[in-house]
Amino acid sequence: MSNTFGHQFTLTTFGESHGAAIGGVVDGMPPGIDIDLDFIQSELNRRRPGQSTITTSRQEADKVELLSGVFEGKSTGCPIGFMVRNENQHSQDYENLRTLFRPSHADYTYYKKYGLRDHRGGGRSSARITISRVVAGALAKLALRRLGITIHAYTSQVGNICLDPDYRLYDLGKIEQNAVRCPDEGKAALMEQLITEVKAEGDTIGGVITCVIKGCPVGLGEPEFGKLHAELGRAMLSINAVKGFEYGDGFAGACRRGSEVNDIFVNSGTPDSPAITTKTNHSGGIQGGISNGQDIYFRVAFKPVATILREQQTVDMEGNETTMKARGRHDPCVLPRAVPVVEAMAAIVLLDQCLGKTEQS
């Protein structure tokens, strides 16, 4: 079951970086949803390689093929099978790594767990596997449209270049207007310059993605082990290169007092028709593990990509010390292409929770 995510709305994935295809099966998709194939493809285009000078130069069309579960443009309620064929593998670029363990990759742990590993691009551990998440996330977004729930993620930090943590200061409609996917034009230019410099040095750099969910109803999540923020955290931490997750004020709130961060309840309606809300949203839209109707916002920290085009020390499968230098096409910074992946996983969690709430009510 380690290849399946979700409860009511589930995604099971298959494929390797240099295999024939990446794909999956989505189960639990509500019937009667309009399946906009152009929208699904556009989400994949946001993730695909080769889209700018600050991403890997690997050229893949990443064209999705829906194999089942759709009839005359609508979901049938049956499992939706899909596939994206790999077309531009350069497996020879990895031949020098066949017997070596790359620093900070999954090579050693996969080998020790399974007794063998696919050295070509990392095989199953490759970030190319996130294709399946983006397709499933696009399907979830189509279902969430009916509920008025929207999800926007953006690059809020690259290296030491940071946006203000208050997402309300930015026009989220500008996220797709630059290669970094940052809603601040000035900071986006600085981020792109930094990534370009790092790439020229054969190095990589990390950063942070912020995600904002609007229109979420009150009552999603469970009070004990199924807390909504725990489900979101589990989803985000399952993404390649993710090292941290925080929601609401997060770690910044740890040094403040309760009198500063408590979200005071108010009635924005009338005595006869109350509309209870909060004056602030330090909680990030979740209290007691359950959504409270406010915007849900969280941040996801990504480490620098582990593959650097520099000579590094390592060992081979026999434990002999040696040196290695990676070849091929790699991202100097994963953030721009990870934005749609973060959105996709958030959409999967939200639809899963919405379907679970419906069944319980």
Side-chain angles (χ1 to χ4, degrees), residues 153-195:
Y154 61 91
T155 300
S156 55
Q157 180 177 344
V158 172
N160 60 359
I161 302 172
C162 310
L163 268 61
D164 191 287
D166 188 351
Y167 66 89
R168 296 171 299 178
L169 299 175
Y170 302 101
D171 180 358
L172 302 187
K174 295 182 177 181
I175 294 170
E176 294 296 319
Q177 293 182 6
N178 55 74
V180 189
R181 295 198 163 90
C182 170
D184 183 303
E185 183 179 355
K187 290 290 180 68
L190 293 175
M191 291 175 180
E192 185 167 354
Q193 180 182 349
L194 176 58
I195 295 171

Side-chain angles (χ1 to χ4, degrees), residues 54 103-105 158-159 194-207 241 302-310 312 326 329-335:
I54 59 171
S104 287
H105 281 77
V158 172
L194 176 58
I195 295 171
T196 300
E197 292 172 356
V198 166
K199 179 181 179 181
E201 296 170 357
D203 215 336
T204 60
I205 195 162
F302 286 79
K303 71 172 184 176
V305 176
T307 300
I308 63 175
L309 302 182
R310 292 181 172 187
Q312 298 181 87
R329 305 157 297 175
H330 308 281
D331 285 292
C333 179
V334 74
L335 277 295

Side-chain angles (χ1 to χ4, degrees), residues 87-151:
E87 299 175 337
N88 191 233
Q89 309 99 312
H90 286 183
S91 299
Q92 67 276 10
D93 289 342
Y94 297 88
E95 193 57 35
N96 66 317
L97 305 177
R98 178 182 287 273
T99 63
L100 303 181
F101 296 130
R102 295 171 298 170
S104 287
H105 281 77
D107 298 349
Y108 175 71
T109 51
Y110 267 54
Y111 178 70
K112 294 299 289 186
K113 182 176 179 65
Y114 299 109
L116 72 164
R117 67 179 177 90
D118 185 347
H119 66 283
R120 304 167 304 165
R124 184 71 172 155
S125 68
S126 169
R128 185 154 177 76
I129 308 304
T130 58
I131 282 174
S132 298
R133 299 170 183 238
V134 173
V135 174
L139 290 167
K141 282 184 177 182
L142 292 174
L144 291 172
R145 283 179 181 177
R146 288 189 172 186
L147 304 176
I149 298 174
T150 61
I151 302 170

Side-chain angles (χ1 to χ4, degrees), residues 59 64 141 145 256 334 343 352:
Q59 293 296 321
V64 63
K141 282 184 177 182
R145 283 179 181 177
R256 303 180 69 183
V334 74
E343 288 184 3
D352 192 32

Side-chain angles (χ1 to χ4, degrees), residues 1-14 24-29 124 132-133 136-137 140 227-239 341-353 355:
M1 293 299 291
S2 62
N3 297 302
T4 299
F5 183 86
H7 304 284
Q8 314 298 327
F9 179 85
T10 66
L11 166 66
T12 301
T13 71
F14 68 83
V25 176
V26 167
D27 204 357
M29 183 72 174
R124 184 71 172 155
S132 298
R133 299 170 183 238
K227 289 179 170 64
L228 180 56
H229 59 268
E231 294 297 308
L232 286 168
R234 176 171 173 261
M236 298 307 143
L237 290 166
S238 74
I239 299 172
V341 181
V342 168
E343 288 184 3
M345 292 307 294
I348 291 170
V349 170
L350 264 291
L351 180 57
D352 192 32
Q353 292 289 318
L355 293 174

Side-chain angles (χ1 to χ4, degrees), residues 204-238:
T204 60
I205 195 162
V208 176
I209 289 175
T210 296
C211 187
V212 182
I213 303 170
K214 293 180 175 290
C216 183
V218 179
L220 299 187
E222 299 297 328
E224 183 59 12
F225 298 113
K227 289 179 170 64
L228 180 56
H229 59 268
E231 294 297 308
L232 286 168
R234 176 171 173 261
M236 298 307 143
L237 290 166
S238 74

Side-chain angles (χ1 to χ4, degrees), residues 258-330:
S259 57
E260 297 177 287
V261 300
N262 279 354
D263 293 319
I264 305 302
F265 286 104
V266 295
N267 181 8
S268 60
T270 65
D272 294 331
S273 180
I276 297 175
T277 186
T278 57
K279 293 176 66 175
T280 55
N281 188 20
H282 297 289
S283 301
I286 303 171
Q287 293 171 323
I290 300 171
S291 60
N292 66 4
Q294 295 281 359
D295 291 350
I296 295 172
Y297 62 96
F298 58 85
R299 289 164 294 279
V300 187
F302 286 79
K303 71 172 184 176
V305 176
T307 300
I308 63 175
L309 302 182
R310 292 181 172 187
E311 190 172 273
Q312 298 181 87
Q313 292 184 322
T314 188
V315 298
D316 62 20
M317 296 167 69
E318 263 70 59
N320 301 309
E321 294 187 357
T322 184
T323 60
M324 58 148 286
K325 184 176 181 180
R327 300 194 295 259
R329 305 157 297 175
H330 308 281

